[in-house]
Every structure is written in structure tokens, then in C-alpha cells.
Amino acid sequence: MQRLPILLSSAVLSTLCLAMTSARDRDSDLLATARAAGSFETLLAAVRAAGLEPVLRGAGPFTVLAPTDAAFAALPDGALQRLLEPERRDELVRLLQRHVIDGRVSAAQAAAAGVASSLAGDRLVVELSGGQLRVDGARVVENDIVTSNGVIHSIDRVLVPPAAPRAAADPLALTSATLIDRAIHRGVPLYNGGQPAACAAVYEVAALALLAHSEPALPPDVVEALRAALRLEEPVDPQDYAWRLRRALDAAALALRQNGAAGAAPARFAARAAGLRPHTDVVAIDDFGAAAAAGAWGVVNDTVMGGRSRSALTVREPGVALFSGTVSLANNGGFASTRREVASGSLRGCSGIWLRVRGDGKRYRLSVSDRGRVTGDLYQAEFATRAGEWLELRLPFADMARSVMGFRPPNAAPVDPARIRSIGLGIGDKQAGAFRLEIDAIRAYRPRRL
């Protein structure tokens, strides 16, 4: 592949970008184009290990700052091998997200802006130095490699995130927060899979460990909540016991994070606890804890009927997903959606869906179905967003209207929560143009039985 110099003139860069667009194969996506280049094999291996291939094959568009094989080879000895270890997957995802920018950004646009924001949330400095374009100090060795779902700029250095400052917080508190995260990560699939007793057992061990080793780092009311949750009353209802423990663990996690854990995001735990309102229990559907979570969500757009709208769901950072794309009215189109399956029976007894979102001022729809993920038979509830503002929403199942291929049948029976097999988010009503909806968490809620 020919390497092209970066010139000082933005006008020349724009002309170069247009020329290369016509010369490239626009039908190849980001991954196929990188593979054909032959100089990004290490990057492609890292993308596979991180589970990000579905994201970079999606609609995008994305701008990828692609380190060459030589750039990865220049990392300190053993650094790449450590990143590829399964237990370091979150660290690898964070590194790769630092090399991806949302949208299609040409070299000329980047040079003019002087700054770019990566999917990891980092601010990347873009500058022309000595006639050479650089991004966070890395030299762009080839620019504007156009693909069907984005653009690639080849760079000569891996953009390693800056080292986090050493935490001033008690290291034991960090360990305790990790213990809670692991317990919830293991317990939720058990509960939603119909094994509440197994879930309760996982939570019980975590709560006992917290009381044994972390009590000094916890507020007295959180300690008392853990002790109260552990008190058994005969007969023991495993569902109630699991939820008593879960609420206590959430409170402990929030307290530990707010006490100063480095790199922590107290808002994530505040959002997690926000669904735990008085007189309600919740069933976790998705907290978007890793990039792999995006793989559970599939796209169902108007292309199924010949339309041209496009969309994708990606995990922008651990805990926050982005549903975005463009709605087109061509060919009688006008809708885009993303959906995932839920275990049949897992929402039995629930009253509705709680979610925390930040939108762009457009209207969106939440849908559920008892027919699986790919179906035109849905129960829907519409909600409005306010641009740039996080909203917490409760959408009762009783208020959801049935829609069959866009038509509402008369006298339709209400949705049965016990039979729900999929949940989705979508934009419709012919709202043409780009859209953007961030999702922090999605849960079902039901009356508390305690």
C-alpha cells in the first residue's frame, strides 16, 4: 500500500481525500480494508481478542487511528502479550477505544479542529508539526483510507492511555468494590436464568466477606444494611433473599466508590441504585458493563422493507452504550431499531421498564415482544428526550400499545410480562437525519414483596 505524505495545506488535504475516495473500494468495511492492507495484523488480532469485530463491521461510521504492526512491535517487551490475556480484556478494550472516533473525520477536518474525542472519552490533540500531521504525538503515516463504514488513518505509535494517578483511597476499598462487581456479574445471570437460590448464595458470600474485611471502610448504615440482609427468616424465599442482599451490596458499592476509588464512576452506581426505589424490586436487563455487551443487541432497520436507514449500538465506555445512526425516508423507509433477547419468564410479575438515557431531543420508542428479537409484532411505549440531559424513565407495561408491522390492531390483549422474549429501542415517526441516544442501564421493575 502506498504511503502518502501529509501536506500543510488543508485545501490540498481535502483534494487528496476526494481523490482517494474514488480510488478506494468503498464496499470494503474497516476490518476488510485493514486486512487487505497487510500492515495491521496485530491490530486486527487485538480487535478479535477484545470482541470488537461486530462493532467495526457495523454501520458506523467510525474513524480508526490504526497503529501499524511496527507500532505495536515498539511497545515495551511483554506489554502486548499482557494486553491479550483474557483477564485483561477490559484494559484492551479501553486501549482500542482510544484509537476510534465516532463519525467519519478526514485528515483535513482533524487538522482544522485541532482536537478529537475518542470512544474512550479521551481528548486527542491533533497538530501539524514540520509538515507532518500528528495525533497525540503519533505520526500519521497514511491518511484518508476510505471504507464503506468509515475512514482509517495509519499511525506509527500505539496511543497508550496515560497512567492513572495513584489512588489516595484505601486499597482495601478498591478490592471490596471489585468483589461486589464480580458478585453481581456472576449473580445476575443466575437469577435471570431461574436460579434465585444460586444467585442469593453468591451475594451471601460477598456480603459476609465485606463484613469480615471491609467494615471500617463502610458507613455504619451500610454495615447495618448488610447485617439486616443476612438475617434469615424461615421459610426463606430465595427471590426475596437475593434482592435483599442485592440492595445491600449496591449500597455498599456506592459508598466505597464515593469514598474516592481512583478511576471510579460514582454516577454509575448511583444510576444502578436509582431503580431501587421504595416499594419496588428490579430485574437487571443490561448495564452495558463491557464492549461485548453490544454483541447481544441486533439491528432491525427499515432495510428489511427496502429502506435505507442505518443504526448501530456500541459500548462507548464500560457502563454506557450508544444507539446512533441515520434515519432515511428513501424507499418509504423511516425507522431504525436495536433489540436484544431476554430469558423467557425472567420478567414474570414485573410492571414495566426503567431506563436511564441521554438523547438528542428526538422521540424514541421502547418495545417488548413475546415473539423473539426479529419480529414486527411489538408492544411499544414512546418517550421524548431533552438534548444532552440524562433522564430516568419508567414505562409501565400497561401503557404499551401493540403494533403489528406498524399497524395497531383493535382490542389487542395487553402484554404478558412472563412471556416477554425481547426488548428494544428505536426511533420512528419519520424523524429523518442523524440521531444519538446514550443508554446507561435498562431494568424491569415490580412491586417489592418485602
Side-chain angles (χ1 to χ4, degrees), residues 6 15 19-20 39 48 79 124 143 176 193 225 232 267 269 294 305 315 352 365 371 378 389 404 432 440 447:
I6 303 296
T15 302
M20 293 187 68
S39 55
R48 284 194 298 272
L124 305 177
N143 62 294
S176 301
L232 295 179
F269 286 85
M305 299 182 295
V315 174
R365 293 170 178 167
R371 308 292 177 91
L378 306 168
E389 183 178 341
V404 181
D440 178 75

Side-chain angles (χ1 to χ4, degrees), residues 167-181:
D170 180 4
L172 184 59
L174 297 178
T175 302
S176 301
T178 301
L179 168 67
I180 296 170
D181 278 353

Side-chain angles (χ1 to χ4, degrees), residues 135-198:
V135 181
D136 251 33
R139 185 169 60 92
V140 177
V141 296
E142 186 173 0
N143 62 294
D144 297 310
I145 305 171
V146 177
T147 76
S148 63
N149 62 340
V151 61
I152 298 173
H153 304 301
S154 175
I155 57 177
D156 70 347
R157 186 169 64 81
V158 179
L159 303 180
V160 178
R166 186 173 297 275
D170 180 4
L172 184 59
L174 297 178
T175 302
S176 301
T178 301
L179 168 67
I180 296 170
D181 278 353
R182 291 287 179 88
I184 292 173
H185 178 73
R186 300 293 185 186
V188 167
L190 292 171
Y191 188 98
N192 289 346
Q195 302 181 64

Side-chain angles (χ1 to χ4, degrees), residues 85-103:
E85 294 172 356
E87 59 270 23
R88 292 179 178 266
R89 184 181 182 191
D90 288 348
E91 186 178 345
L92 177 61
V93 168
R94 170 77 171 80
L95 174 68
L96 293 175
Q97 287 177 330
R98 186 173 166 81
H99 292 77
V100 182
I101 300 167
D102 190 17

Side-chain angles (χ1 to χ4, degrees), residues 1 21 65 114 138 152 235 245 272 282 284 304 308 314 330 339 360 415 421 428 444:
M1 177 179 293
T21 299
L65 305 171
I152 298 173
L245 291 167
R272 174 180 288 170
V282 296
V304 299
R308 296 181 180 176
T314 58
R339 305 174 193 172
D360 50 8
V415 61
R421 294 172 50 199

